[in-house]
Amino acid sequence: MPSQNLRDDADTYLMQTYSRQPITIVRGRGSRVYDLEGREYIDFVGGIAVNILGHGHPDLVQTIQRQAVQLIHTSNLYYTEPQVKLAKMLVDHSFADRVFFCNSGAEANEAAIKLARRYGHEQHGPDRFEIITMKNSFHGRTLATLTATGQEKVQKGFEPLMPGFVYAPFNDFGAVESMVNERTAAILLEPIQAEGGVHVADRDYLRNLRDLCTQKDILLMFDEIQTGMGRTGTFFAHEQLGVKPDIMTLAKGLAGGVPIGACLAKESVAAAFTPGSHASTFGGNPLACAAGLTVCQVLLEGKVLEQARLQGEYLAKGLADCKDHHRIAKEVRGLGLLQGMELETDTRVVVADALVRGVLINAATERVLRFVPPLITTQEDIDKMLDVLGAILNQRGTDKGPHR
Ligand SMILES: *Cc1c(COP(=O)(O)O)cnc(C)c1O
């Protein structure tokens, strides 16, 4: 079907919840994807930090093929090997003792929110339910998680919101401290606010949050849905920021593109969930967990983490150089292969221009470009992307008149 007909049908048959780029992606290989007309694109979006092993990684493909033949799904009425093995893998390589599996980031945060309330009620009584989240955060689109998300544009039109959430400015410990009271059950935040424009949490801020939570038996919950799975050069971003949470959520890259989510917790907290308190039909199914296990193995046993760290430094440096050469580029922020560039121009125009020039980039906000390539991205990919970005910024800088 020609591209235009497909787009017309998309306009006709799909609920119009997305504004899409005008290409139809039909296949991918490594760090590249190809559209219906056969054009190649260098992928700096990676399915929004999902395709961490790139496209068509042989180990992941083989695992999915084998598992599909063997068993795709049974339900949590029975034990399955991949689920238990993936849980053990995550526990062995994190602060956590137990894992609950679901199918998306929002669901992982739902599980975290429910667990925090349940723990609060059990340990401190029914008034302990409030969760402090951060302004400009992103935690998902279900009713509880859009309430947790500190952005009006995500909440607008869906009121009444879920009770029990309050919002503090990011990286402001004093603000959180002043909001804590006997109702406070948990503090939920992203170690790096990604959708919100790539803002990294300060180490001191996180250490202070940790101390406050420990003192008052408040749960510290990290949403590592985007920052986890090697994105920043370590398995989880908080490893580099010097603070361990009580609960952590994962999704996006966990199974390299197969839908999955996970909520991890310390034993003392996880014990608040008992048989019947939470569930998911698809959650932890053999196909997704087998894929997740292979992704973890490739990450931890191969050189992918090390590569992500090195390429992350290379990308950050390249973007910083690019910024220095273009007046309309204001700032570069990020960690590893999660980088943002703040511009003085509409990022959507830059994204559209990059697409025409064969590079996929994402606009996290109207002013911040986000770069989240597969962790297997190469120096060559980065150089090519930077050339394209430089050319676009040159042109846009000139459009706006000469340098001051
Ligand atoms: C993407 C994302 C979510 C939501 O995940 P979905 O799978 O889209 O529900 C939540 N939190 C963060 C930090 C994310 O990046």
Side-chain angles (χ1 to χ4, degrees), residues 208-248:
N208 286 333
L209 288 181
R210 176 68 274 175
D211 290 346
L212 177 70
C213 286
T214 305
Q215 265 171 36
K216 299 194 182 281
D217 195 26
I218 294 167
L219 300 176
L220 183 60
M221 312 203 290
F222 284 166
D223 177 343
E224 290 236 28
I225 287 164
Q226 188 152 166
T227 55
M229 304 310 294
R231 175 57 48 195
T232 66
T234 47
F235 202 13
F236 308 116
H238 71 260
E239 293 169 31
Q240 286 176 73
L241 298 168
V243 163
K244 288 183 180 138
D246 303 298
I247 296 178
M248 171 172 72

mmCIF file of all heavy atoms in Angstrom, residues 208-248:
data_model
loop_
_atom_site.group_PDB
_atom_site.id
_atom_site.type_symbol
_atom_site.label_atom_id
_atom_site.label_comp_id
_atom_site.label_asym_id
_atom_site.label_seq_id
_atom_site.Cartn_x
_atom_site.Cartn_y
_atom_site.Cartn_z
ATOM 1 N N ASN A 208 19.838 13.775 50.068
ATOM 2 C CA ASN A 208 18.947 14.369 51.072
ATOM 3 C C ASN A 208 17.574 13.694 51.074
ATOM 4 O O ASN A 208 17.010 13.445 52.144
ATOM 5 C CB ASN A 208 18.785 15.866 50.818
ATOM 6 C CG ASN A 208 20.031 16.640 51.230
ATOM 7 O OD1 ASN A 208 20.776 16.208 52.111
ATOM 8 N ND2 ASN A 208 20.270 17.770 50.582
ATOM 9 N N LEU A 209 17.058 13.395 49.889
ATOM 10 C CA LEU A 209 15.763 12.689 49.807
ATOM 11 C C LEU A 209 15.875 11.324 50.473
ATOM 12 O O LEU A 209 14.992 10.906 51.226
ATOM 13 C CB LEU A 209 15.329 12.516 48.352
ATOM 14 C CG LEU A 209 14.852 13.742 47.583
ATOM 15 C CD1 LEU A 209 14.455 13.342 46.158
ATOM 16 C CD2 LEU A 209 13.679 14.429 48.275
ATOM 17 N N ARG A 210 16.970 10.642 50.189
ATOM 18 C CA ARG A 210 17.187 9.304 50.758
ATOM 19 C C ARG A 210 17.183 9.377 52.292
ATOM 20 O O ARG A 210 16.514 8.585 52.966
ATOM 21 C CB ARG A 210 18.506 8.725 50.231
ATOM 22 C CG ARG A 210 18.947 7.378 50.780
ATOM 23 C CD ARG A 210 18.067 6.223 50.344
ATOM 24 N NE ARG A 210 16.920 6.046 51.220
ATOM 25 C CZ ARG A 210 15.937 5.177 51.017
ATOM 26 N NH1 ARG A 210 15.942 4.416 49.944
ATOM 27 N NH2 ARG A 210 14.937 5.078 51.861
ATOM 28 N N ASP A 211 17.937 10.329 52.842
ATOM 29 C CA ASP A 211 18.034 10.460 54.309
ATOM 30 C C ASP A 211 16.667 10.769 54.909
ATOM 31 O O ASP A 211 16.278 10.165 55.912
ATOM 32 C CB ASP A 211 19.029 11.556 54.686
ATOM 33 C CG ASP A 211 20.461 11.146 54.359
ATOM 34 O OD1 ASP A 211 20.687 9.941 54.096
ATOM 35 O OD2 ASP A 211 21.349 12.023 54.337
ATOM 36 N N LEU A 212 15.962 11.694 54.280
ATOM 37 C CA LEU A 212 14.631 12.076 54.773
ATOM 38 C C LEU A 212 13.695 10.863 54.767
ATOM 39 O O LEU A 212 12.975 10.604 55.749
ATOM 40 C CB LEU A 212 14.063 13.180 53.872
ATOM 41 C CG LEU A 212 12.655 13.676 54.175
ATOM 42 C CD1 LEU A 212 12.651 14.470 55.480
ATOM 43 C CD2 LEU A 212 12.123 14.553 53.036
ATOM 44 N N CYS A 213 13.714 10.111 53.675
ATOM 45 C CA CYS A 213 12.843 8.938 53.557
ATOM 46 C C CYS A 213 13.191 7.884 54.601
ATOM 47 O O CYS A 213 12.304 7.298 55.225
ATOM 48 C CB CYS A 213 12.950 8.334 52.156
ATOM 49 S SG CYS A 213 12.096 9.314 50.904
ATOM 50 N N THR A 214 14.469 7.658 54.796
ATOM 51 C CA THR A 214 14.894 6.654 55.772
ATOM 52 C C THR A 214 14.448 7.051 57.179
ATOM 53 O O THR A 214 13.887 6.234 57.918
ATOM 54 C CB THR A 214 16.431 6.472 55.720
ATOM 55 O OG1 THR A 214 16.791 6.169 54.371
ATOM 56 C CG2 THR A 214 16.895 5.354 56.634
ATOM 57 N N GLN A 215 14.661 8.321 57.518
ATOM 58 C CA GLN A 215 14.268 8.825 58.846
ATOM 59 C C GLN A 215 12.789 8.626 59.128
ATOM 60 O O GLN A 215 12.397 8.265 60.229
ATOM 61 C CB GLN A 215 14.505 10.336 58.903
ATOM 62 C CG GLN A 215 15.814 10.782 59.498
ATOM 63 C CD GLN A 215 15.972 12.289 59.267
ATOM 64 O OE1 GLN A 215 14.990 13.041 59.309
ATOM 65 N NE2 GLN A 215 17.197 12.710 59.010
ATOM 66 N N LYS A 216 11.942 8.899 58.136
ATOM 67 C CA LYS A 216 10.495 8.946 58.369
ATOM 68 C C LYS A 216 9.749 7.728 57.822
ATOM 69 O O LYS A 216 8.517 7.737 57.755
ATOM 70 C CB LYS A 216 9.921 10.226 57.747
ATOM 71 C CG LYS A 216 10.523 11.490 58.357
ATOM 72 C CD LYS A 216 9.717 12.706 57.986
ATOM 73 C CE LYS A 216 10.297 13.986 58.537
ATOM 74 N NZ LYS A 216 10.009 14.226 59.952
ATOM 75 N N ASP A 217 10.481 6.698 57.421
ATOM 76 C CA ASP A 217 9.877 5.518 56.785
ATOM 77 C C ASP A 217 8.949 5.905 55.631
ATOM 78 O O ASP A 217 7.833 5.396 55.502
ATOM 79 C CB ASP A 217 9.142 4.627 57.802
ATOM 80 C CG ASP A 217 8.839 3.250 57.199
ATOM 81 O OD1 ASP A 217 9.574 2.826 56.286
ATOM 82 O OD2 ASP A 217 7.851 2.619 57.629
ATOM 83 N N ILE A 218 9.439 6.822 54.812
ATOM 84 C CA ILE A 218 8.764 7.172 53.557
ATOM 85 C C ILE A 218 9.489 6.400 52.455
ATOM 86 O O ILE A 218 10.707 6.255 52.507
ATOM 87 C CB ILE A 218 8.861 8.699 53.315
ATOM 88 C CG1 ILE A 218 8.057 9.451 54.383
ATOM 89 C CG2 ILE A 218 8.404 9.070 51.915
ATOM 90 C CD1 ILE A 218 8.340 10.940 54.429
ATOM 91 N N LEU A 219 8.740 5.896 51.489
ATOM 92 C CA LEU A 219 9.374 5.098 50.437
ATOM 93 C C LEU A 219 9.934 6.000 49.337
ATOM 94 O O LEU A 219 9.234 6.879 48.827
ATOM 95 C CB LEU A 219 8.362 4.115 49.839
ATOM 96 C CG LEU A 219 7.783 3.117 50.852
ATOM 97 C CD1 LEU A 219 6.707 2.259 50.176
ATOM 98 C CD2 LEU A 219 8.872 2.251 51.456
ATOM 99 N N LEU A 220 11.184 5.761 48.994
ATOM 100 C CA LEU A 220 11.797 6.485 47.881
ATOM 101 C C LEU A 220 11.626 5.625 46.625
ATOM 102 O O LEU A 220 12.119 4.498 46.566
ATOM 103 C CB LEU A 220 13.279 6.757 48.166
ATOM 104 C CG LEU A 220 14.017 7.581 47.109
ATOM 105 C CD1 LEU A 220 13.389 8.964 46.930
ATOM 106 C CD2 LEU A 220 15.501 7.720 47.472
ATOM 107 N N MET A 221 10.903 6.157 45.643
ATOM 108 C CA MET A 221 10.587 5.379 44.438
ATOM 109 C C MET A 221 11.204 6.046 43.211
ATOM 110 O O MET A 221 10.914 7.213 42.930
ATOM 111 C CB MET A 221 9.067 5.295 44.256
ATOM 112 C CG MET A 221 8.320 4.892 45.520
ATOM 113 S SD MET A 221 6.697 4.172 45.230
ATOM 114 C CE MET A 221 5.750 5.578 44.657
ATOM 115 N N PHE A 222 12.062 5.315 42.521
ATOM 116 C CA PHE A 222 12.669 5.831 41.292
ATOM 117 C C PHE A 222 11.952 5.260 40.077
ATOM 118 O O PHE A 222 11.850 4.037 39.934
ATOM 119 C CB PHE A 222 14.153 5.452 41.213
ATOM 120 C CG PHE A 222 15.047 6.272 42.113
ATOM 121 C CD1 PHE A 222 16.357 5.853 42.366
ATOM 122 C CD2 PHE A 222 14.601 7.450 42.703
ATOM 123 C CE1 PHE A 222 17.186 6.601 43.192
ATOM 124 C CE2 PHE A 222 15.428 8.200 43.522
ATOM 125 C CZ PHE A 222 16.728 7.770 43.768
ATOM 126 N N ASP A 223 11.483 6.140 39.229
ATOM 127 C CA ASP A 223 10.955 5.750 37.929
ATOM 128 C C ASP A 223 12.143 5.720 36.964
ATOM 129 O O ASP A 223 12.597 6.763 36.488
ATOM 130 C CB ASP A 223 9.886 6.763 37.489
ATOM 131 C CG ASP A 223 9.330 6.474 36.100
ATOM 132 O OD1 ASP A 223 9.978 5.716 35.345
ATOM 133 O OD2 ASP A 223 8.262 7.018 35.766
ATOM 134 N N GLU A 224 12.668 4.500 36.738
ATOM 135 C CA GLU A 224 13.806 4.322 35.806
ATOM 136 C C GLU A 224 13.325 3.693 34.495
ATOM 137 O O GLU A 224 14.070 2.979 33.829
ATOM 138 C CB GLU A 224 14.905 3.481 36.465
ATOM 139 C CG GLU A 224 15.639 4.209 37.584
ATOM 140 C CD GLU A 224 17.152 4.263 37.363
ATOM 141 O OE1 GLU A 224 17.594 4.233 36.196
ATOM 142 O OE2 GLU A 224 17.873 4.336 38.388
ATOM 143 N N ILE A 225 12.084 3.963 34.166
ATOM 144 C CA ILE A 225 11.493 3.401 32.952
ATOM 145 C C ILE A 225 12.287 3.820 31.714
ATOM 146 O O ILE A 225 12.501 3.031 30.803
ATOM 147 C CB ILE A 225 10.007 3.809 32.871
ATOM 148 C CG1 ILE A 225 9.223 3.000 33.919
ATOM 149 C CG2 ILE A 225 9.437 3.626 31.468
ATOM 150 C CD1 ILE A 225 7.844 3.535 34.228
ATOM 151 N N GLN A 226 12.754 5.055 31.717
ATOM 152 C CA GLN A 226 13.544 5.532 30.576
ATOM 153 C C GLN A 226 15.052 5.497 30.849
ATOM 154 O O GLN A 226 15.845 5.274 29.953
ATOM 155 C CB GLN A 226 13.115 6.954 30.198
ATOM 156 C CG GLN A 226 13.737 7.443 28.920
ATOM 157 C CD GLN A 226 12.900 8.464 28.171
ATOM 158 O OE1 GLN A 226 13.383 9.109 27.286
ATOM 159 N NE2 GLN A 226 11.642 8.612 28.505
ATOM 160 N N THR A 227 15.434 5.717 32.116
ATOM 161 C CA THR A 227 16.858 5.835 32.455
ATOM 162 C C THR A 227 17.521 4.498 32.737
ATOM 163 O O THR A 227 18.747 4.415 32.748
ATOM 164 C CB THR A 227 17.043 6.732 33.693
ATOM 165 O OG1 THR A 227 16.244 6.195 34.769
ATOM 166 C CG2 THR A 227 16.609 8.154 33.415
ATOM 167 N N GLY A 228 16.710 3.449 32.988
ATOM 168 C CA GLY A 228 17.262 2.146 33.325
ATOM 169 C C GLY A 228 17.754 1.387 32.108
ATOM 170 O O GLY A 228 17.747 1.892 30.985
ATOM 171 N N MET A 229 18.196 0.160 32.321
ATOM 172 C CA MET A 229 18.623 -0.756 31.255
ATOM 173 C C MET A 229 19.771 -0.194 30.417
ATOM 174 O O MET A 229 19.776 -0.302 29.186
ATOM 175 C CB MET A 229 17.428 -1.118 30.361
ATOM 176 C CG MET A 229 16.255 -1.724 31.104
ATOM 177 S SD MET A 229 16.698 -3.097 32.203
ATOM 178 C CE MET A 229 17.236 -4.346 31.052
ATOM 179 N N GLY A 230 20.753 0.367 31.118
ATOM 180 C CA GLY A 230 21.983 0.760 30.444
ATOM 181 C C GLY A 230 21.949 2.094 29.732
ATOM 182 O O GLY A 230 22.955 2.551 29.192
ATOM 183 N N ARG A 231 20.810 2.741 29.727
ATOM 184 C CA ARG A 231 20.646 3.999 28.993
ATOM 185 C C ARG A 231 21.735 5.023 29.320
ATOM 186 O O ARG A 231 22.229 5.735 28.456
ATOM 187 C CB ARG A 231 19.241 4.569 29.311
ATOM 188 C CG ARG A 231 18.881 5.929 28.768
ATOM 189 C CD ARG A 231 18.984 6.082 27.291
ATOM 190 N NE ARG A 231 18.364 5.029 26.508
ATOM 191 C CZ ARG A 231 18.587 4.837 25.203
ATOM 192 N NH1 ARG A 231 19.403 5.656 24.537
ATOM 193 N NH2 ARG A 231 18.016 3.843 24.553
ATOM 194 N N THR A 232 22.088 5.100 30.615
ATOM 195 C CA THR A 232 23.047 6.137 31.031
ATOM 196 C C THR A 232 24.473 5.604 31.153
ATOM 197 O O THR A 232 25.362 6.311 31.605
ATOM 198 C CB THR A 232 22.626 6.753 32.378
ATOM 199 O OG1 THR A 232 22.724 5.736 33.389
ATOM 200 C CG2 THR A 232 21.199 7.294 32.330
ATOM 201 N N GLY A 233 24.672 4.328 30.795
ATOM 202 C CA GLY A 233 26.017 3.758 30.866
ATOM 203 C C GLY A 233 26.216 2.817 32.036
ATOM 204 O O GLY A 233 27.223 2.112 32.116
ATOM 205 N N THR A 234 25.279 2.804 32.978
ATOM 206 C CA THR A 234 25.238 1.769 34.021
ATOM 207 C C THR A 234 23.873 1.093 33.912
ATOM 208 O O THR A 234 22.957 1.635 33.289
ATOM 209 C CB THR A 234 25.403 2.371 35.435
ATOM 210 O OG1 THR A 234 24.546 3.510 35.564
ATOM 211 C CG2 THR A 234 26.849 2.788 35.678
ATOM 212 N N PHE A 235 23.746 -0.101 34.528
ATOM 213 C CA PHE A 235 22.484 -0.838 34.386
ATOM 214 C C PHE A 235 21.321 0.090 34.751
ATOM 215 O O PHE A 235 20.369 0.229 34.004
ATOM 216 C CB PHE A 235 22.531 -2.073 35.296
ATOM 217 C CG PHE A 235 21.586 -3.171 34.897
ATOM 218 C CD1 PHE A 235 20.935 -3.184 33.659
ATOM 219 C CD2 PHE A 235 21.351 -4.228 35.773
ATOM 220 C CE1 PHE A 235 20.067 -4.221 33.304
ATOM 221 C CE2 PHE A 235 20.481 -5.269 35.416
ATOM 222 C CZ PHE A 235 19.842 -5.266 34.197
ATOM 223 N N PHE A 236 21.434 0.751 35.923
ATOM 224 C CA PHE A 236 20.418 1.735 36.323
ATOM 225 C C PHE A 236 21.102 3.077 36.584
ATOM 226 O O PHE A 236 22.238 3.110 37.047
ATOM 227 C CB PHE A 236 19.671 1.248 37.565
ATOM 228 C CG PHE A 236 19.136 -0.147 37.411
ATOM 229 C CD1 PHE A 236 19.604 -1.175 38.211
ATOM 230 C CD2 PHE A 236 18.205 -0.434 36.417
ATOM 231 C CE1 PHE A 236 19.134 -2.477 38.030
ATOM 232 C CE2 PHE A 236 17.736 -1.724 36.232
ATOM 233 C CZ PHE A 236 18.203 -2.752 37.046
ATOM 234 N N ALA A 237 20.406 4.158 36.301
ATOM 235 C CA ALA A 237 21.017 5.487 36.430
ATOM 236 C C ALA A 237 21.394 5.796 37.872
ATOM 237 O O ALA A 237 22.415 6.428 38.138
ATOM 238 C CB ALA A 237 20.058 6.559 35.903
ATOM 239 N N HIS A 238 20.570 5.325 38.825
ATOM 240 C CA HIS A 238 20.843 5.701 40.225
ATOM 241 C C HIS A 238 22.177 5.155 40.726
ATOM 242 O O HIS A 238 22.726 5.675 41.690
ATOM 243 C CB HIS A 238 19.671 5.284 41.143
ATOM 244 C CG HIS A 238 19.536 3.812 41.367
ATOM 245 N ND1 HIS A 238 18.628 3.040 40.682
ATOM 246 C CD2 HIS A 238 20.190 2.969 42.197
ATOM 247 C CE1 HIS A 238 18.722 1.776 41.095
ATOM 248 N NE2 HIS A 238 19.665 1.716 42.013
ATOM 249 N N GLU A 239 22.710 4.129 40.056
ATOM 250 C CA GLU A 239 24.022 3.606 40.457
ATOM 251 C C GLU A 239 25.080 4.710 40.358
ATOM 252 O O GLU A 239 26.046 4.721 41.115
ATOM 253 C CB GLU A 239 24.429 2.435 39.560
ATOM 254 C CG GLU A 239 23.548 1.206 39.740
ATOM 255 C CD GLU A 239 23.798 0.168 38.644
ATOM 256 O OE1 GLU A 239 24.939 0.080 38.151
ATOM 257 O OE2 GLU A 239 22.832 -0.539 38.291
ATOM 258 N N GLN A 240 24.904 5.591 39.394
ATOM 259 C CA GLN A 240 25.880 6.677 39.215
ATOM 260 C C GLN A 240 25.588 7.873 40.094
ATOM 261 O O GLN A 240 26.401 8.774 40.212
ATOM 262 C CB GLN A 240 25.841 7.184 37.766
ATOM 263 C CG GLN A 240 26.467 6.253 36.789
ATOM 264 C CD GLN A 240 26.284 6.787 35.378
ATOM 265 O OE1 GLN A 240 26.929 7.751 34.988
ATOM 266 N NE2 GLN A 240 25.401 6.170 34.634
ATOM 267 N N LEU A 241 24.386 7.908 40.655
ATOM 268 C CA LEU A 241 23.987 9.088 41.415
ATOM 269 C C LEU A 241 24.103 8.848 42.918
ATOM 270 O O LEU A 241 23.813 9.739 43.724
ATOM 271 C CB LEU A 241 22.561 9.497 41.020
ATOM 272 C CG LEU A 241 22.441 9.887 39.533
ATOM 273 C CD1 LEU A 241 20.991 10.015 39.094
ATOM 274 C CD2 LEU A 241 23.197 11.187 39.239
ATOM 275 N N GLY A 242 24.540 7.644 43.285
ATOM 276 C CA GLY A 242 24.950 7.391 44.663
ATOM 277 C C GLY A 242 23.824 7.150 45.660
ATOM 278 O O GLY A 242 24.052 7.246 46.857
ATOM 279 N N VAL A 243 22.618 6.835 45.185
ATOM 280 C CA VAL A 243 21.485 6.651 46.105
ATOM 281 C C VAL A 243 20.642 5.456 45.646
ATOM 282 O O VAL A 243 20.384 5.302 44.454
ATOM 283 C CB VAL A 243 20.608 7.929 46.119
ATOM 284 C CG1 VAL A 243 19.241 7.648 46.706
ATOM 285 C CG2 VAL A 243 21.300 9.031 46.906
ATOM 286 N N LYS A 244 20.242 4.625 46.618
ATOM 287 C CA LYS A 244 19.379 3.479 46.276
ATOM 288 C C LYS A 244 17.940 3.753 46.687
ATOM 289 O O LYS A 244 17.695 4.240 47.785
ATOM 290 C CB LYS A 244 19.858 2.227 47.020
ATOM 291 C CG LYS A 244 21.147 1.677 46.483
ATOM 292 C CD LYS A 244 21.522 0.390 47.208
ATOM 293 C CE LYS A 244 22.820 -0.151 46.648
ATOM 294 N NZ LYS A 244 23.728 -0.651 47.659
ATOM 295 N N PRO A 245 16.985 3.399 45.829
ATOM 296 C CA PRO A 245 15.570 3.585 46.186
ATOM 297 C C PRO A 245 15.041 2.385 46.974
ATOM 298 O O PRO A 245 15.756 1.403 47.179
ATOM 299 C CB PRO A 245 14.894 3.645 44.817
ATOM 300 C CG PRO A 245 15.708 2.708 43.984
ATOM 301 C CD PRO A 245 17.126 2.824 44.479
ATOM 302 N N ASP A 246 13.775 2.459 47.396
ATOM 303 C CA ASP A 246 13.084 1.315 48.005
ATOM 304 C C ASP A 246 12.260 0.581 46.961
ATOM 305 O O ASP A 246 12.011 -0.611 47.066
ATOM 306 C CB ASP A 246 12.147 1.792 49.115
ATOM 307 C CG ASP A 246 12.898 2.576 50.181
ATOM 308 O OD1 ASP A 246 13.782 1.981 50.823
ATOM 309 O OD2 ASP A 246 12.631 3.783 50.329
ATOM 310 N N ILE A 247 11.814 1.342 45.951
ATOM 311 C CA ILE A 247 11.027 0.790 44.845
ATOM 312 C C ILE A 247 11.578 1.397 43.552
ATOM 313 O O ILE A 247 11.942 2.576 43.524
ATOM 314 C CB ILE A 247 9.525 1.166 44.981
ATOM 315 C CG1 ILE A 247 8.912 0.539 46.245
ATOM 316 C CG2 ILE A 247 8.741 0.735 43.743
ATOM 317 C CD1 ILE A 247 7.433 0.903 46.465
ATOM 318 N N MET A 248 11.640 0.583 42.497
ATOM 319 C CA MET A 248 12.071 1.106 41.194
ATOM 320 C C MET A 248 11.167 0.514 40.112
ATOM 321 O O MET A 248 10.801 -0.660 40.180
ATOM 322 C CB MET A 248 13.524 0.711 40.915
ATOM 323 C CG MET A 248 13.997 1.032 39.493
ATOM 324 S SD MET A 248 15.766 0.763 39.254
ATOM 325 C CE MET A 248 15.852 -1.033 39.262
#
